[in-house]
Amino acid sequence: MDLHISLTDRRQVSGDIYRQIRDAILDARLESGNALPSSRELARRLNVSRTTVMVVYERLRAEGFVHTRVGAGTFVSDVKPGSRRSGRPSPLVARPVWSEIPEGIDLSATRPDFDFRPGVPDASRFPFAAWRSRMARQFRPRAIGAGTPIDAAGHPALRASIARHIGVSRAVRASPDEVFVTNGSQQAVNLIARVLIEPGDTVAVEDPCYPLTLRAFVAHGARVASVPVDDEGLIVDQIPERTRVVYVTPSHQYPLGMVMSMERRQALLAWAAQADAAVIEDDYDSEFRYGGRPLETLQSLDGAGRVLYVGSFSKSLLPTLRLGFLVAPSPLHTALRKAKQLADWHTALPAQAALADFMDDGLLAQHLRRMRRIYNERHDYIVDVLTRDLDGRLTPLPSAGGLHLTAFFDCGEPARDIGVADSARSKGVAVLPLSYHYQTRAPQPGLLLGYGAIASDRIGEGLRRLHLCL
């Protein structure tokens, strides 16, 4: 291990070495089990006598900070948690907006026995062997070496694969040059906000909506206007004047699940043209549709170049891959490329190239067909249980796709769903309260029931336990 030690006062060599190693252990920069350099090696690096280092190591050993193993070396010992020093004080403070933005829900914080959290796919069904072989192919010197050209917009092969995929599956009109690969759809929204939104601009979002997207706009200094939805989706007539950007989920409104009607889609596009505004179309889980004819995307209906189409592989593959994309009109390409480069230079190239191969080999389409059938069965099972056994308690909203459905409480206080979710958690059941997603209107109490992460044979018991909490 390269251990940094600074010797500024040659009169206190032994003391300086001791204090800096001790502080590194107390600060947990050196952790239990870490090996220290040999006395000979550290003496050579610091240009001091080996005896000096051996004296320091012996003092640390006597105080319990390190221990030695014959023939192996010197290692950091276990340190009591209370002996580690807290971080140093600092006068620096974040912008006030960050104290107003609540922390998002950490999906990795718990491992519930019955996981009904929305938007989480079934990782056990992911084709790991096929993915692993394509990732291994990318870690060869000829695949990605020091001279590999890096485009902030993404790997050329993946951009072409995405353009073909969404062109066939969603009738999105996009050339590879119009596709930008991102670290998930959340980064796509952040890049759009960087490029289009000035502090003080009005951004309209659906109410209820996905909280993290709203917070991204707030963090960029936007004034967020919450627009209600009804059975046909966003109520276009209630978008405020001088709105700069509208964010919508027309294919499967999050979190309620309705599909925006064709009349509303056309009205929204007409409004955007008249108001000189942009529309962000988040098509986050449209791969999973279980009935009815899918309506054309806003992007395919748009003849004026006002729609930015956002997609993700987090629902169709794995969230941990952090792969998403956006399709943008050509006047924004230069700015988006600059914004992406400033954010993180580019999304990891091996994963991009592996996904391109995965798609071109037909494995994505194969995986989607398999999972569509599985998720459809789980969706129908939950609806059946809710209508048969929980009738009068929870009423499922009509939903023909995605990885979750929403159910309203037939009666109860607006925040009742929060209490139910807390009670369910104590029984090993994870559900998400609907009221978290409302911004300005009085929240409708209900629950989001995801079926991506829970096996079919566990749904019944999970809903039975949930029933006990109602």
Side-chain angles (χ1 to χ4, degrees):
M1 173 180 290
D2 289 332
L3 179 61
H4 176 78
I5 295 177
S6 176
L7 297 180
T8 56
D9 186 352
R10 303 299 293 191
R11 296 170 299 178
Q12 300 289 333
V13 171
S14 177
D16 280 351
I17 297 173
Y18 163 78
R19 280 188 294 272
Q20 291 180 56
I21 296 178
R22 180 202 62 189
D23 289 350
I25 295 173
L26 292 175
D27 291 345
R29 288 178 280 127
L30 286 174
E31 297 181 333
S32 175
N34 286 164
L36 297 183
S38 68
S39 58
R40 180 178 285 104
E41 172 65 17
L42 186 58
R44 184 189 63 79
R45 292 184 198 171
L46 299 179
N47 195 24
V48 300
S49 72
R50 185 186 178 195
T51 301
T52 298
V53 176
M54 292 175 67
V55 168
V56 170
Y57 278 12
E58 177 57 28
R59 182 178 176 186
L60 290 168
R61 187 196 63 76
E63 295 178 2
F65 290 108
V66 301
H67 61 276
T68 58
R69 300 179 198 161
V70 177
T74 303
F75 300 86
V76 177
S77 300
D78 289 333
V79 177
K80 294 180 181 179
S83 64
R84 292 178 177 175
R85 300 183 307 172
S86 60
R88 293 174 295 179
S90 171
L92 302 179
V93 294
R95 290 167 48 215
V97 67
W98 291 105
S99 64
E100 302 168 8
I101 297 176
E103 290 191 27
I105 299 174
D106 184 2
L107 294 180
S108 66
T110 59
R111 290 289 186 271
D113 295 328
F114 303 90
D115 193 350
F116 290 101
R117 291 174 296 180
V120 183
D122 190 342
S124 69
R125 306 279 182 160
F126 182 74
F128 286 100
W131 180 262
R132 188 161 48 244
S133 66
R134 281 152 185 81
M135 281 293 289
R137 191 183 305 163
Q138 303 308 318
F139 284 101
R140 297 172 181 170
R142 291 185 179 181
I144 297 180
T148 301
I150 300 173
D151 187 346
H155 193 291
L158 180 56
R159 296 167 73 191
S161 298
I162 291 173
R164 286 193 297 272
H165 171 66
I166 59 178
V168 171
S169 64
R170 298 295 289 128
V172 171
R173 297 174 297 170
S175 68
D177 290 341
E178 295 175 294
V179 176
F180 288 76
V181 181
T182 60
N183 290 318
S185 59
Q186 187 72 12
Q187 187 185 53
V189 172
N190 270 278
L191 295 179
I192 295 170
R194 286 190 178 202
V195 167
L196 289 181
I197 297 172
E198 295 277 3
D201 281 349
T202 298
V203 176
V205 301
E206 298 162 317
D207 193 12
C209 74
Y210 183 53
L212 289 186
T213 298
L214 181 149
R215 295 166 192 169
F217 295 133
V218 171
H220 283 281
R223 299 171 56 188
V224 175
S226 297
V227 180
V229 299
D230 61 15
D231 292 345
E232 295 187 63
L234 183 81
I235 302 177
V236 177
D237 293 343
Q238 297 194 30
I239 300 175
E241 294 183 1
R242 293 185 291 277
T243 292
R244 172 71 171 149
V245 175
V246 179
Y247 171 85
V248 289
T249 52
S251 297
H252 186 223
Q253 200 278 334
Y254 188 88
L256 298 181
M258 74 280 290
V259 177
M260 182 182 284
S261 68
M262 179 58 71
E263 183 180 357
R264 288 284 173 84
R265 293 173 189 242
Q266 293 171 339
L268 178 57
L269 292 174
W271 173 89
Q274 183 178 7
D276 190 24
V279 176
I280 302 174
E281 178 180 16
D282 191 344
D283 208 10
Y284 64 98
D285 65 0
S286 63
E287 295 94 347
F288 303 115
R289 187 167 185 83
Y290 316 128
R293 184 182 66 84
L295 295 177
E296 286 79 0
T297 62
L298 289 170
Q299 196 272 353
S300 64
L301 295 170
D302 176 30
R306 297 193 171 277
V307 175
L308 295 99
Y309 180 86
V310 172
S312 172
F313 295 98
S314 293
K315 310 294 187 297
S316 56
L317 295 176
L318 288 177
T320 49
L321 294 179
R322 302 310 306 143
L323 288 169
F325 62 91
L326 70 93
V327 177
S330 57
L332 300 179
H333 290 182
T334 299
L336 284 169
R337 184 174 270 101
K338 292 177 181 178
K340 173 64 176 173
Q341 192 173 52
L342 289 175
D344 60 4
W345 193 268
H346 62 85
T347 299
L349 288 178
Q352 290 192 62
L355 179 55
D357 288 348
F358 191 84
M359 296 174 72
D360 292 345
D361 292 342
L363 295 176
L364 175 63
Q366 183 183 61
H367 180 64
L368 290 176
R369 286 194 299 270
R370 180 171 59 251
M371 299 312 299
R372 194 177 294 120
R373 176 182 55 80
I374 293 171
Y375 293 149
N376 189 13
E377 291 175 355
R378 296 177 185 177
H379 169 277
D380 292 347
Y381 184 17
I382 292 176
V383 171
D384 181 61
V385 173
L386 292 181
T387 54
R388 185 187 67 239
D389 300 337
L390 277 71
D391 185 33
R393 302 291 187 91
L394 278 174
T395 300
L397 276 66
S399 176
L403 290 180
H404 80 276
L405 59 85
T406 299
F408 283 157
F409 286 107
D410 290 343
C411 60
E413 297 297 323
R416 181 188 174 196
D417 52 4
I418 298 176
V420 169
D422 290 342
S423 177
R425 189 180 306 112
S426 67
K427 299 182 183 300
V429 180
V431 293
L432 197 61
L434 176 60
S435 59
Y436 281 164
H437 300 79
Y438 283 86
Q439 306 305 316
T440 58
R441 293 190 295 159
Q444 169 73 44
L447 297 174
L448 275 66
L449 297 171
Y451 40 83
I454 185 167
S456 299
D457 60 0
R458 297 184 65 77
I459 289 176
E461 175 61 18
L463 292 179
R464 188 192 70 79
R465 295 191 185 193
L466 177 62
H467 191 183
L468 299 175
C469 304
L470 300 178

